[in-house]
Amino acid sequence: MTLKNLLVAYNGGEASDAALHLGAQMSRKYDAHLTGIVAHGVPNIVQNFPPWLARQVSDTLDDIISTRVTELEDKFRSYLDGKVDPDKQHWIDVHADPDRTISYYTRMFDLTILGQYENLPAADEYTLHPDRIAHTSGRPILVAPKRFRPTEINENAVIAWDGKRNASRALFDAMNILETKRMVTIVTVGDKSTHQEARGINLATLLARHGVEAKHVVVPRGSGGTARTILDFCMEQKTGLLVMGAFGHSKLSEDLFGGVTKHILREAEIPVFVSH
């Protein structure tokens, strides 16, 4: 299945501008429809108002939100002008919690693209959390780094592989993208004892049967840990995409103690495709 139905979570921040840039490039590459979605909840400051005051400011707040959403749609369409066929541009406005809304809408699209986590103190009701969306959506997402503005898609990819269920899920979820890549490198962090290949088949052979040229390397874990090792490897390979399974440990554990998924989603300088 090729990508024909892309969703971009858009809130006007620097990271979502990067996601829109990537979405436009992928729309052209795959001749896909591109839908922008803005989801907006209730500002934190209003949630703390007493009920009588919240009612008084409700109409004013609605006007402000309506104006802001119109501005976002105009910015979205203005950026796509001349880049994406107007008949393949779409827009959705939902007045509901951003993370829950995007998680729900991901289930109706081939792929959802959003930006890295960023604080929007002046518009907290639009803030998105890629880690939460990746955990709850049940669909793959592609996270664009804040300053991602290449003129063309880098057709080299890296797959982070530890042999676990989430890594396998990510590999096969990303297959329709991997099949279009010039070169794919599979990286396992650890030592030779870390990676035990299945008898009778290996990952390079598996990908070759999909027409993908791939090699598998094992690299030692650096002093910065697994996440830093993977990110440094991607930079050394000059890759344009990292594919990885999300939350090998529980989401609660990652929230409390940190983890590979959260670290990579925050620090990556290339797009990261994640599945959970």
Side-chain angles (χ1 to χ4, degrees):
M1 180 189 76
T2 57
L3 299 176
K4 291 299 179 185
N5 197 23
L6 304 174
L7 181 69
V8 173
Y10 192 69
N11 60 21
E14 183 182 13
S16 76
D17 284 342
L20 179 57
H21 177 85
L22 178 56
Q25 289 182 321
M26 295 184 71
S27 174
R28 292 195 300 274
K29 176 179 177 178
Y30 296 102
D31 191 26
H33 287 260
L34 184 64
T35 300
I37 182 170
V38 59
H40 43 93
V42 178
N44 288 336
I45 189 172
V46 175
Q47 293 181 33
N48 297 322
F49 283 175
W52 62 269
L53 182 56
R55 285 192 296 271
Q56 287 185 18
V57 302
S58 177
D59 290 343
T60 301
L61 181 63
D62 287 345
D63 289 342
I64 293 173
I65 290 175
S66 178
T67 299
R68 174 60 175 159
V69 169
T70 298
E71 290 172 350
L72 289 174
E73 182 178 2
D74 289 345
K75 187 179 179 183
F76 172 85
R77 294 192 183 278
S78 176
Y79 182 82
L80 295 182
D81 187 33
K83 298 181 178 72
V84 174
D85 185 339
D87 291 336
K88 293 190 174 181
Q89 300 176 25
H90 314 280
W91 181 255
I92 298 173
D93 165 23
V94 183
H95 192 169
D97 176 81
D99 289 337
R100 286 199 297 269
T101 298
I102 302 305
S103 294
Y104 171 75
Y105 273 86
T106 62
R107 297 162 193 165
M108 291 173 277
F109 287 82
D110 297 334
L111 182 66
T112 297
I113 308 163
L114 60 156
Q116 281 176 323
Y117 176 81
E118 61 183 344
N119 289 314
L120 297 172
D124 57 80
E125 67 273 26
Y126 297 92
T127 298
L128 297 166
H129 302 83
D131 56 323
R132 298 178 189 174
I133 294 168
H135 183 258
T136 61
S137 68
R139 294 285 295 145
I141 66 170
L142 184 59
V143 181
K146 290 182 182 178
R147 296 172 182 83
F148 181 78
R149 298 293 190 284
T151 55
E152 59 184 24
I153 294 176
N154 179 333
E155 298 295 1
N156 294 331
V158 165
I159 302 169
W161 180 262
D162 60 6
K164 295 180 180 178
R165 177 178 63 85
N166 286 346
S168 176
R169 168 74 182 270
L171 187 156
F172 285 98
D173 279 351
M175 191 63 76
N176 51 6
I177 294 177
L178 296 174
E179 287 175 347
T180 71
K181 294 301 180 184
R182 182 168 48 246
M183 180 63 193
V184 173
T185 304
I186 306 148
V187 60
T188 297
V189 176
D191 54 38
K192 293 294 183 181
S193 65
T194 304
H195 175 61
Q196 299 294 325
E197 289 189 343
R199 292 182 61 184
I201 191 168
N202 57 42
L203 293 173
T205 300
L206 184 157
L207 286 163
R209 292 174 182 176
H210 282 268
V212 179
E213 180 183 355
K215 62 180 179 179
H216 190 178
V217 299
V218 179
V219 298
R221 182 180 289 101
S223 59
T226 299
R228 189 69 259 166
T229 301
I230 293 171
L231 291 175
D232 288 346
F233 181 83
C234 289
M235 293 301 103
E236 292 167 6
Q237 296 294 309
K238 296 181 171 58
T239 190
L241 175 70
L242 171 61
V243 175
M244 60 178 284
F247 304 109
H249 300 289
S250 72
K251 178 68 167 62
L252 177 61
S253 174
E254 292 228 359
D255 286 342
L256 291 176
F257 307 111
V260 173
T261 303
K262 203 163 189 177
H263 185 128
I264 287 179
L265 290 182
R266 285 183 177 273
E267 301 298 329
E269 297 179 12
I270 58 171
V272 181
F273 180 107
V274 293
S275 284
H276 172 67

